[in-house]
Amino acid sequence: MSFTPPPFWRDLKGFLADDEAVALAGAAASACALGPLLEIGSYCGKSTICLAQAMADSNALLFALDHHRGSEEHQPGEFFHDPELFDEAVEQMDTFREFRRNLERAGLSDRVVPLVTTSELAARHWATPLGMVFIDGGHSLDAALTDYRCWAGHLVRGGTLAIHDVYPDAASGGQAPYAVYRLALESGLFRERARINSLALLERL
Ligand code: MG
């Protein structure tokens, strides 16, 4: 399956490379037959649009989880801070406005259920089996491990665990997503299906 991005794809704020988007869309297109999808770390909706569009021919839903206050690296003074996404009135990041705008522009609002809260809170009463979990939230070890522990257990057999920003070499990027990737493989519950750029696709056995 190929991914046909919306016309404004290039203008979207986000960190998903084109080859990763194609791979993510392919994974979502098959995983959505197994159950709803869950994305952790929607930011401004770039990967959300990619996933939701890939499910186009199904009735599947995508849960898009993000507190929309930015991860550590998005805060003022940090490397990935974007002043346009800072709400001066509350002195906090607010990516939800941009997220909703992009989703509406893409015409995908009826396929996406935004969960504007933390991973831990959203998971507390969660009982729905998932076809795919895409981990792309906070990149501190604590945040990444929390996302894995809260959600990986809800995947159905054959479901996909996708992890973004997996860099085996510390010189290329932070090590938390890679730690989660290794933890998943070492658990014996997953096998690797593919690695595309920094995106890892694992299958729940
Ligand atoms: Mg990422």
Side-chain angles (χ1 to χ4, degrees), residues 40 72 119-120 135 137-153 163 175-184:
I40 307 153
E72 305 80 4
S119 205
E120 248 169 347
I135 298 183
H139 285 16
S140 69
L141 188 59
D142 192 38
L145 287 176
T146 297
D147 291 339
Y148 175 72
R149 291 185 177 130
C150 282
W151 299 105
I163 308 167
Q175 292 295 285
Y178 182 57
V180 167
Y181 161 82
R182 288 190 47 188
L183 190 67

Side-chain angles (χ1 to χ4, degrees), residues 10 47 52 56 59 62 64 82 96 98-99 105 137-138 149 154 165 184:
R10 297 267 156 238
S47 53
N59 287 321
L62 166 64
D82 182 341
F96 186 59
E98 180 74 13
F99 168 84
R105 249 176 118 187
R149 291 185 177 130
H154 292 290
D165 302 309

Side-chain angles (χ1 to χ4, degrees), residues 187-203:
S187 73
L189 296 171
F190 295 90
R191 75 170 180 90
E192 182 163 294
R193 201 184 277 149
R195 289 266 299 281
I196 307 92
N197 204 341
S198 79
L199 177 72
L201 297 174
L202 310 184
E203 179 183 338

Side-chain angles (χ1 to χ4, degrees), residues 15 136 139 164-165:
F15 310 95
D136 191 23
H139 285 16
H164 196 223
D165 302 309

